[in-house]
Amino acid sequence: MPVTPKAPLAIVALATLLSLVVFTLPLTTLEAMTAALGLGPAQQAWIMSGMPLGAACGLLIAGAFGDTLGRRRTFVGGLWLTALASVAAALAPTGLFLIVARVVQGLGSAGIMACGLGLLGQIYEGEPRRRAAAIWAAGLGAGVALGPILAAALLPIGGWPAGHWAIALAATILALSASARLPESPRSPHRVDLTGGLLLMLGLGCLLSALTELRLGAFGVVGLLVLGALAFLALFLRTERRAPNPILRLDLFAHAPFTGASLAAFASGAGVLALMSLVPTVLVRGMGQTPLTAAFVLLAWSALTAIAALNAHRLPARWTSRQRVIGGIVGCGVGQALMLLATPAASWAILVPGLLIAGVSNGILNAALGHEAVQSVPPERAAMGSAANNTARYLGSALGIALISILIAGRDGERFFAGWHEAVVMSTLFSGLAVFAMLGLARERGSLGAR
């Protein structure tokens, strides 16, 4: 079929949305999974962390495959892998089987996320590219909004597996559409840096596993995993300096726009994304709301994120992407700080102003980051730029969720909210530090340009 300007954007945006549905699916189905499979606390933590672990580990290697073997091929492969892993998850007979399926779902999402923005950067230029990045960013917010509601709505129909069956069907349809409608990218003659990819996956796997085990208090295991992570990541850095076709060009970090976009993505994950992901826990455990009610309240953040991203092009054209990123992080920080208003005696409505402010700001931030991720790297490395940006986001969210979970774990009543307030302060500091870092990079960029 002929490629049209709208079809590639719709396919990429819907696939991005699907990846975030996969990420958020357990938020309203974990209790049903626990009852059906007899999950213990450790297995519950791993089901929540499995998908982001797989995504963070696979994003850069998926980006390398996209730039070297073809972005459409890698994107479609990610969709097929997501479909197969979702079928396996729906049929999972044990908790361990489901955890493995969740990790593989993350690897499939890595192919989608790494090459989606790269494909859009290849197809669109100028203002259409900025608008395409905004629609891609809207897919992020829409996925977070729809995932918990879809999972809760399907529970009475087919139990917790129904959500995975729905994901498998959607991924299959999108894979067939992408094969027919998306253009292939030019392929590089270089070989993929498989050694670097393996070392990075092992290093990030150990690091994220340590964060998950830290939530469970397994400090001896955490120490061993941290040592393993440091060793593998040191070997990765050594390999990337020597590889003819590295999966991550380390010299890009000397480029202020790339470093700034990566820092902002990490702060977004560790700050607003991590904190808002646990708002349903506050509503259910702290305020006595049902999971479905909590999912709808969260729409004040997630739906506004999608709407704001779609309308980010209406902002004054004189505002650069960097200025939008900084403004978005500042707004997210204000919204995060307002989560301090949550108390045992408060109504769920007390959270709405903060959710609304963070939602609008996060939408603007996501749209600007999507543009910066592609603009801050050479055109032939667009998938690498997208993969690096999303890796930073997933690493940040894994770190933030782990730390927040530790602060509120095993607490009830006033103690629960005391831990939540500590978590709010911590996540807001992540946003504040990112603003100062980006302002410093902007000054450095200006001083270098003046020389």
Side-chain angles (χ1 to χ4, degrees):
M1 296 182 183
V3 175
T4 65
K6 294 182 179 179
L9 179 55
I11 292 167
V12 171
L14 288 172
T16 301
L17 182 154
L18 186 66
S19 295
L20 272 295
V21 169
V22 175
F23 177 70
T24 57
L25 199 69
L27 289 180
T28 48
T29 57
L30 187 60
E31 186 176 342
M33 292 175 185
T34 300
L37 300 176
L39 304 177
Q43 289 180 317
Q44 292 177 39
W46 272 103
I47 285 172
M48 291 294 294
S49 303
M51 186 274 180
L53 188 152
C57 290
L59 274 162
L60 280 172
I61 190 67
F65 276 121
D67 287 334
T68 304
L69 303 179
R71 292 169 197 155
R72 182 184 67 182
R73 177 183 292 186
T74 306
F75 183 84
V76 172
L79 284 165
W80 282 121
L81 188 57
T82 299
L84 292 173
S86 297
V87 170
L91 298 173
T94 65
L96 178 60
F97 196 97
L98 181 58
I99 290 167
V100 173
R102 288 284 294 165
V103 173
V104 180
Q105 281 180 323
L107 292 172
S109 293
I112 298 168
M113 299 290 285
C115 295
L117 265 179
L119 283 165
L120 296 182
Q122 161 191 332
I123 297 167
Y124 303 98
E125 295 182 359
E127 184 57 31
R129 177 184 289 179
R130 187 187 297 274
R131 188 156 189 179
I135 294 173
W136 174 88
L140 294 175
V144 174
L146 291 176
I149 295 173
L150 174 68
L154 290 175
L155 271 175
I157 299 173
W160 67 265
H164 294 288
W165 286 118
I167 290 169
L169 177 61
T172 299
I173 294 171
L174 285 168
L176 295 173
S177 300
S179 297
R181 296 281 187 139
L182 295 183
E184 186 55 279
S185 62
R187 301 181 186 180
S188 167
H190 300 293
R191 295 179 59 186
V192 176
D193 178 22
L194 292 177
T195 301
L198 178 61
L199 288 170
L200 180 65
M201 290 178 71
L202 290 171
L204 293 182
C206 286
L207 178 61
L208 296 180
S209 297
L211 292 173
T212 300
E213 293 295 328
L214 186 62
R215 294 165 61 181
L216 306 172
F219 299 112
V221 175
V222 169
L224 291 175
L225 287 170
V226 169
L227 289 175
L230 293 174
F232 285 125
L233 292 175
L235 288 172
F236 166 73
L237 293 175
R238 181 182 178 188
T239 300
E240 295 309 281
R241 291 192 182 97
R242 300 179 177 181
N245 184 35
I247 64 172
L248 179 63
R249 280 177 43 184
L250 300 180
D251 62 298
L252 288 174
F253 287 100
H255 189 45
F258 179 83
T259 303
S262 300
L263 280 173
F266 182 86
S268 171
V272 68
L273 181 57
L275 191 70
M276 297 306 165
S277 295
L278 287 165
V279 164
T281 302
V282 175
L283 290 165
V284 174
R285 283 180 52 190
M287 298 182 174
Q289 302 296 320
T290 66
L292 188 58
T293 300
F296 275 105
V297 173
L298 191 63
L299 284 175
W301 170 68
S302 54
L304 259 290
T305 292
I307 294 170
L310 280 174
N311 289 278
H313 67 281
R314 300 180 186 276
L315 294 172
R318 65 179 181 275
W319 293 3
T320 66
S321 291
R322 177 174 291 272
Q323 290 171 333
R324 297 181 191 202
V325 167
I326 293 173
I329 296 176
V330 170
C332 286
V334 172
Q336 291 165 242
L338 287 175
M339 294 297 104
L340 289 170
L341 297 175
T343 63
S347 162
W348 59 264
I350 198 70
L351 299 178
V352 172
L355 292 171
L356 293 174
I357 293 171
V360 172
S361 303
N362 196 47
I364 295 170
L365 173 62
N366 284 344
L369 276 179
H371 185 261
E372 281 285 283
V374 175
Q375 287 288 99
S376 61
V377 296
E380 71 276 7
R381 289 298 191 181
M384 178 188 289
S386 174
N389 196 267
N390 282 295
T391 298
R393 190 194 307 269
Y394 274 110
L395 280 175
S397 66
L399 173 64
I401 290 172
L403 293 176
I404 295 170
S405 297
I406 291 169
L407 290 172
I408 64 176
R411 296 187 178 190
D412 295 306
E414 292 286 352
R415 293 181 65 249
F416 173 84
F417 281 96
W420 172 251
H421 292 159
E422 293 171 8
V424 171
V425 172
M426 180 196 69
S427 75
T428 306
L429 283 175
F430 274 120
S431 296
L433 290 173
V435 170
F436 284 116
M438 291 199 68
L439 289 173
L441 284 170
R443 285 195 295 271
E444 177 185 339
R445 185 184 184 187
S447 64
L448 288 174
R451 290 177 186 175

